[in-house]
């Protein structure tokens, strides 16, 4: 009967397709049909890539700015005007028509601006800039471009192309996307007008379309339904009354299905397939990808304090209740995933349970609602093939009955049709559910900064590809299963891990981290499911391992932060005390400054810094590595801001009382640390000698190299035996790099340094990068202008090495330029004279 219906539909479609109305009239009067760019302009306009500069004018000869170029590229990538809020560049204000597209380009690596934290949106885009950005876009999106049948010869002005653009220009040459001029040149510094840009974008869009296929048609959907019906029929004899296969019959089931797949290949309905342990990946001739999964029973295979939102996705909620009544419920009788979401929201006042997507509500659109600062809990089916990597099934279906009733209407109302052909959407045999993998996340999900994603489904962590798609969007942590997993196990682990993270770990007096909660759950339910050995895996490195849902303790400490004035009753008598509590790299520190009160000359004086934490009892603990032998607890006793308690200094407790002032206490930690370091370094370097000569010679520079608003410190002892110090402040400590260099320069905002120096005919250039609070060597070059006996040699006999390998002078200089852009660098002696010992201590005391 179905074959007759399909035949009738084909005749009906032939009738309807012949009556489709023509597209709207071309609006631009300045691009007549005789204009050389008419086809290109019409293409980019019809496809929503470029608009006119008015309703009737395209301005083909008008210039194309960098903002325009990135906007067009972003539209091609499916980026919306509000998809990427915020700005990565100082000259790109939020709310501009191009802001979201520039933010997208920066986030995905399409552009890193022009340097100095700027993008220059209004500058005309050059040809080499266009080539570089197109190449980066193609690479970041995981696309490949078809090679031109007869590519142009190598450009005659290749030497004029900037090093950062050479790879992109070469890609343009091989693919013919951006061509050269009649004289064989590329002219990298020239700009393109709007007509030329339209031609280039038409070529690019068509090339990408050629790789991913054409539009989804009724014919391809008919072919999909009829082919997959036959495939599923082949496996039907091996399924029980519930539709499951026993693990002992999987091979026979997949043998039967594979035989039908091979038969369909002879009919040219299937272009490729690959069989694995429990799945067969299939690509239809239309480009649609379909995965047949052996349906195993009781598995989950398809077979800064900010406000946080909690989202739950349960595409098989009703299915769980039908197949496993009562097993996926908490003690309150509701779905366990929803229950633990409510538990999190109740535990932390900055969390709210905002969205609960069940069954058919788990749609492609719901996936795109994933955003930053969210806890995303997924409880459903998933699986893995080597072609698709991990994927998860949604609540949406390809509805064959609805399609057969009205194919034209069905197709017209389908969304993401191109994604079926590109493989971003995967079709399955599980109730005709569609599924998504890493490619869909990469294309359609925006920023996930600060988010935790828990993928409670089979094989979501069998490799890192799926998890990395979320991490690349900014997620802090991704939790997944290593293989096909028993449903009872994955649901119990998700419930226990997330619930545990709302509790305080008695060993640390802090809320459980993600890794601590995982260990706790493993102790309770085992480190694997006891079936195929599936384990829960955390992706995202140390930040993910140490992820905490929230910290009310941090909130209390944030309330404590500030400046307090009062007194301390030491054995010498009453001493004035200024207590400053401040946040530093996510932790809290306390600075005790003691001073003599009027009439008291023998009291304790000095400054001491220590850590501050919050105990289970709600009291504050000051952990000192100096002054206080035994840390004690302090309580904020009233709402007026008075803080008092007793400490052990020596053998007896001595009380103090301070009252909070209106003075702010932000950003002072580095000042105290640098001040102490400078004084101690002078004394340590001088040893038992006189420090006066060092103090007279030393010069001090404060500068912000990586844009984190905490300056770095450069100490130059001016050619004395003491050398130099390059310092940064991280994790409450001064990290140093001692050296003997003639000068240092840095790239603002990048944390990149060039130290150059030498002695007695031997010279060097070392590039350092500031990473995670320490200085890491990037590259090193050395050269000597003397022979091995120390005798000067002619310039053509200078010897150069780069990272220990001998190189020519020209290669040495080019390597150095590539590693450190000296044209954008700031040399400290050019930008400031340096402060004396007295001046720097005075500045750090303010």
């Amino acid at each position: 009967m179905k074959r007759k219906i399909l035949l009738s539909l084909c005749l009906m479609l032939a009738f309807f397709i012949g009556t489709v109305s023509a597209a709207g009239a071309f609006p631009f009067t300045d691009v007549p049909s005789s204009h050389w760019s008419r086809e290109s302009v019409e293409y980019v306009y019809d496809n929503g890539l470029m608009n006119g500069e008015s309703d009737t004018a395209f301005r083909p000869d008008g210039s194309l700015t960098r903002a325009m170029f990135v906007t067009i590229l972003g539209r091609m990538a499916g980026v919306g005007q509000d998809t990427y809020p915020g700005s990565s560049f100082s000259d790109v204000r939020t709310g501009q028509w191009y802001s979201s597209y520039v933010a997208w380009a920066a986030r995905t690596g399409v552009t890193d601006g022009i340097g100095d934290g700027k993008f220059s949106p209004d500058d005309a885009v050059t040809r080499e800039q266009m080539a570089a950005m197109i190449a980066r876009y193609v690479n970041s999106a995981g696309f490949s471009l078809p090679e031109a049948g007869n590519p142009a010869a190598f450009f005659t002005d290749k030497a004029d192309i900037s090093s950062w653009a050479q790879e992109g220009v070469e890609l343009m040459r091989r693919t013919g996307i951006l061509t050269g001029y009649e004289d064989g040149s590329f002219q990298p510094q020239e700009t393109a007008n709007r007509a030329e840009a339209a031609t280039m974008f038409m070529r690019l869009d068509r090339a990408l379309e050629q790789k991913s296929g054409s539009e989804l048609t009724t014919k391809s959907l008919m072919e999909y339904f009829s082919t997959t019906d036959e495939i599923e029929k082949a496996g039907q004899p091996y399924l029980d009354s519930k539709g499951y296969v026993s693990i002992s019959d999987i091979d026979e089931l997949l043998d039967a299905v594979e035989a039908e797949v091979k038969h369909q290949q002879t009919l040219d309905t299937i272009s490729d397939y690959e069989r694995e342990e429990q799945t067969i990946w299939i690509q239809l001739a239309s480009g649609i990808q379909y995965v047949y999964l052996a349906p195993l029973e009781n598995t989950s295979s398809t077979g800064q304090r900010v406000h946080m939102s909690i989202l739950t996705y349960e595409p098989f909620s009703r299915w769980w209740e039908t197949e496993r009544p009562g097993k996926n419920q908490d003690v309150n009788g509701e779905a366990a995933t929803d229950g633990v979401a409510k538990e999190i929201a109740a535990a932390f006042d900055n969390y709210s349970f905002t969205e609960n997507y069940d069954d058919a509500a788990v749609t492609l659109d719901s996936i795109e609602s994933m955003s930053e600062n969210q806890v995303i809990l997924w409880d459903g089916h998933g699986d893995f093939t080597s072609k698709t990597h991990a994927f998860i099934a949604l609540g949406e279906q390809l509805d064959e009955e609805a399609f057969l009733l009205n194919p034209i209407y069905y197709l017209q109302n389908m969304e993401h049709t191109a994604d079926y052909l590109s493989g971003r959407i995967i079709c399955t045999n599980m109730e005709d559910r569609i599924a998504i993998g890493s490619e869909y996340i990469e294309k359609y999900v925006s920023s996930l900064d600060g988010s935790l994603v828990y993928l409670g489904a089979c094989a979501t962590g069998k490799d890192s590809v799926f998890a990395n798609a979320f991490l690349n969007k900014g997620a802090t942590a991704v939790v997944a299963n290593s293989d096909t997993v028993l449903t009872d196990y994955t649901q119990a682990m998700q419930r226990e891990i997330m619930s545990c993270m709302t509790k305080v770990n008695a060993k640390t007096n802090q809320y459980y981290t993600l890794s601590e909660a995982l260990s706790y759950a493993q102790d309770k339910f085992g480190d694997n499911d006891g079936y195929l050995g599936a384990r829960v895996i955390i992706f995202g490195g140390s930040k993910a391992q140490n992820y905490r849902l929230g910290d009310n303790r941090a909130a209390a400490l944030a309330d404590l932060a500030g400046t307090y004035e009062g007194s301390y009753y030491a054995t010498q008598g009453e001493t004035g005390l200024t207590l400053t509590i401040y946040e530093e790299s996510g932790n809290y520190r306390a600075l005790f400054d003691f001073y003599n009160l009027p009439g008291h000359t023998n009291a304790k004086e000095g400054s001491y810094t220590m850590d501050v934490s919050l105990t289970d009892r709600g009291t504050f603990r000051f952990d000192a590595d100096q002054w206080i032998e035994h840390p004690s607890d302090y309580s904020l006793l009233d709402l007026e801001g008075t803080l008092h308690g007793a400490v052990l200094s020596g053998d007896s407790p001595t009380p103090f009382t301070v009252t909070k002032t209106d003075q702010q206490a932000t950003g002072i930690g580095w000042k105290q640390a640098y001040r102490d370091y400078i004084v101690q370094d002078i004394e340590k370097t001088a040893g038992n000698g006189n420090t006066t000569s060092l103090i007279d010679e030393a010069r001090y520079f404060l500068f912000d190299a990586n844009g984190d608003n905490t300056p770095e410190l450069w100490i130059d002892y001016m050619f004395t035996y003491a050398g130099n110090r390059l310092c940064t402040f991280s994790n409450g400590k001064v990290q140093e790099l001692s050296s003997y260099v003639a000068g240092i320069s840095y790239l603002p905002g990048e944390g990149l340094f060039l130290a150059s120096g030498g002695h007695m005919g031997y010279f060097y250039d070392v590039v350092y990068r500031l990473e995670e609070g320490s200085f890491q060597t990037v590259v090193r070059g050395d050269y000597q202008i003397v022979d091995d006996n120390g005798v000067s040699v002619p310039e053509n006999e200078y010897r150069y090495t780069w990272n220990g390998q001998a190189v020519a002078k020209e290669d040495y200089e080019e390597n150095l330029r590539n590693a450190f852009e000296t044209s954008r660098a700031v040399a400290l002696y050019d930008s400031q004279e340096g402060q004396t010992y007295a001046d720097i201590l005075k500045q750090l005391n303010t």
Side-chain angles (χ1 to χ4, degrees), residues 80 94 96 393 414 569 572 589 607:
T94 58
Q96 302 299 304
M414 279 186 69
Y569 296 90
Q572 302 96 324
R589 302 273 287 169
S607 298

Side-chain angles (χ1 to χ4, degrees), residues 18 47 69 104 176 206 525 540 654 688 693 699 776 793:
N47 286 277
F69 180 86
W104 159 79
R206 284 178 170 173
F525 297 109
T654 52
N688 295 323
S693 60
R699 290 296 179 268
Q776 306 293 329
V793 297

Side-chain angles (χ1 to χ4, degrees), residues 544-558:
Q545 298 283 338
N546 297 320
Y547 185 97
R548 286 188 173 94
L549 283 179
D551 199 343
N552 283 342
R553 298 158 183 272
L557 288 167

Side-chain angles (χ1 to χ4, degrees), residues 93-170:
R93 292 183 293 117
T94 58
Q96 302 299 304
W97 54 268
Y98 52 80
S99 302
S100 177
Y101 302 103
V102 175
W104 159 79
R107 173 66 64 83
T108 56
V110 172
T111 181
D112 51 11
I114 62 166
D116 199 23
K118 295 183 178 180
F119 178 72
S120 292
D122 297 325
D123 286 358
V125 64
T126 66
R127 287 168 56 82
E128 68 174 2
Q129 288 172 352
M130 290 192 293
M133 285 191 275
I134 289 174
R136 292 170 186 166
Y137 163 63
V138 169
N139 181 61
S140 68
F143 297 142
S144 61
L145 293 174
E147 302 277 334
N150 185 23
F154 290 103
F155 296 121
T156 57
D157 55 351
K158 182 180 179 181
D160 297 332
I161 301 169
S162 301
S163 58
W164 49 263
Q166 288 177 359
E167 185 177 343
V169 172
E170 173 60 14

Side-chain angles (χ1 to χ4, degrees), residues 10 199 216 275 280 321 446 535 545 612 750 829 837:
C10 289
T199 301
L216 189 66
R275 175 174 170 174
I280 300 180
E321 283 309 301
S446 58
R535 298 174 294 106
Q545 298 283 338
V612 188
E750 296 187 22
Y829 281 101
Y837 181 81

